Amino acid sequence: MKQQHQPCRSCAEALALLRALDFAIQETVLYLDAYPECRQALDYYHTLLHKREEAAARYEDTCGPLTLYGNRSTDSWDWTRGPWPWEAEAN
Amino acid sequence: MWTYDKKLQYPVKIKNPNPKLASLIISQLGGPDGELAASMRYLNQRYSMPYGQVTGILTDVGTEELAHLEMVAAILYQLTRNLSEDEIEKSPFATYFVDHTTGIYPIAASGVPMDMKYVGIKGDVIADLNEDLAAEQKARVTYDNILRLTDDPDVRDPIKYLREREIVHYQRFGDALRIAQDHLDSKNFYAFNPSFKPKR
């Protein structure tokens, strides 16, 4: 699937969800680093992780790869297609 | 953004500590052609690159350099384990030890701390890619020099790996320069300044 130059609405929404989940995971990880015995935080981490996998798959299926391991297409190399994250169009 | 993989790119397993050797290899952490300078050079050059393929090469090589920074740090960490005060005192590592103990602090072998003066970022695709080609060769020479200065196979193995990566990166930057030049007017190869992005 080719990446859109102007991210379509569904890509922008998929990215917003992914960012929210990644931020929640980041916060939970920082907390767990300090409080590894916290059962509630560990359960929350796993709930988030499951949602994150789905959100990342949804983004990569239609909007382009997120990492080196996410070029879904077997026919085209989409990793170097724009826009790049620092460009306003990507945000 | 970045995430961290909890593994080295290539294994580092050194049996014998050697503080003198650590005080030489540290140049590939914080020296003029070290891995910290390399990652900062490529990752910060990306923003003014007008071609996606070149931006991609800089992103991926720059990220790999961060992995190499960790490998060099692992070599330094293992070379400075379990030292006696006597071993430290008799080694040139003592001058580093007095300021940083066995912490990993990016300096050149000469003792000069890491400096962004080592890094060229001109905001011009031709200037920056030529900087990168030279940087990879300079890093390769530094690894060659390190290999001249040690016969410990545990150290030579990861250093040889890092040296090989400099050669591969040089090849890819050569490709990047060719890609950039293919976008330029062939009659005006060197005079045309491509650093301003064409409007989409």
Side-chain angles (χ1 to χ4, degrees):
Chain A
M1 196 67 70
K2 292 207 168 113
Q3 192 171 344
Q4 314 281 321
H5 265 265
Q6 196 72 40
C8 55
R9 181 169 279 277
S10 69
C11 284
E13 281 168 6
L15 182 60
L17 176 63
L18 192 66
R19 275 207 188 101
L21 290 167
D22 280 350
F23 182 71
I25 291 170
Q26 178 73 24
E27 283 284 65
T28 310
V29 164
L30 293 183
Y31 186 83
L32 279 164
D33 287 347
Y35 303 97
E37 310 296 334
C38 181
R39 181 77 241 173
Q40 199 186 351
L42 190 60
D43 289 344
Y44 185 52
Y45 167 81
H46 282 289
T47 307
L48 289 169
L49 210 58
H50 181 66
K51 288 183 183 168
R52 203 272 176 193
E53 278 165 21
E54 284 176 2
R58 194 156 76 92
Y59 182 88
E60 286 189 328
D61 283 346
T62 49
C63 313
L66 284 164
T67 73
L68 298 184
Y69 314 103
N71 199 98
R72 295 298 171 97
S73 173
T74 50
D75 299 315
S76 72
W77 186 245
D78 300 330
W79 177 240
T80 55
R81 286 179 203 277
W84 288 86
W86 52 88
E87 295 177 289
E89 304 96 286
N91 289 279
Chain B
M1 73 173 289
W2 273 264
T3 53
Y4 179 68
D5 282 6
K6 194 180 175 184
K7 63 176 175 61
L8 290 183
Q9 189 187 20
Y10 185 90
V12 174
K13 207 170 177 64
I14 297 168
K15 283 186 285 293
N16 303 315
N18 184 338
K20 184 182 173 190
L21 187 56
S23 63
L24 299 171
I25 291 176
I26 201 165
S27 247
Q28 279 308 86
L29 191 80
D33 308 309
E35 302 292 356
L36 181 56
S39 54
M40 291 303 101
R41 183 181 294 115
Y42 308 145
L43 294 175
N44 287 299
Q45 281 178 357
R46 299 181 302 156
Y47 304 97
S48 52
M49 281 295 154
Y51 313 119
Q53 277 182 280
V54 178
T55 310
I57 290 169
L58 286 167
T59 301
D60 299 338
V61 175
T63 299
E64 190 182 347
E65 305 296 11
L66 291 172
H68 295 171
L69 185 70
E70 186 183 37
M71 277 182 67
V72 174
I75 293 170
L76 299 173
Y77 165 72
Q78 293 184 22
L79 283 174
T80 54
R81 275 179 310 173
N82 306 322
L83 299 174
S84 68
E85 284 175 15
D86 193 47
E87 284 171 309
I88 292 164
E89 205 182 325
K90 283 182 184 153
S91 155
F93 180 71
T95 55
Y96 176 94
F97 181 86
V98 73
D99 286 329
H100 307 292
T101 327
T102 54
I104 302 293
Y105 179 71
I107 61 171
S110 61
V112 179
M114 164 63 193
D115 195 323
M116 280 298 285
K117 285 174 183 166
Y118 302 147
V119 175
I121 297 165
K122 200 66 179 173
D124 177 284
V125 59
I126 300 295
D128 283 347
L129 289 174
N130 278 285
E131 155 93 8
D132 302 344
L133 285 158
E136 293 293 336
Q137 286 303 317
K138 288 189 277 185
R140 191 265 306 159
V141 174
T142 310
Y143 283 124
D144 277 333
N145 291 341
I146 290 167
L147 290 169
R148 288 184 178 109
L149 296 167
T150 178
D151 40 22
D152 181 345
D154 293 350
V155 177
R156 290 177 65 87
D157 186 51
I159 294 289
K160 279 189 209 164
Y161 173 86
L162 292 167
R163 178 190 178 278
E164 283 294 322
R165 299 308 298 158
E166 306 300 341
I167 293 165
V168 171
H169 292 171
Y170 180 78
Q171 299 296 328
R172 295 289 81 80
F173 282 131
D175 292 335
L177 185 59
R178 178 184 49 75
I179 290 162
Q181 287 183 326
D182 284 349
H183 282 88
L184 304 182
D185 178 350
S186 59
K187 290 184 193 140
N188 195 19
F189 232 49
Y190 303 104
F192 175 70
N193 182 337
S195 36
F196 298 100
K197 269 199 166 179
K199 288 213 165 64
R200 271 183 223 284

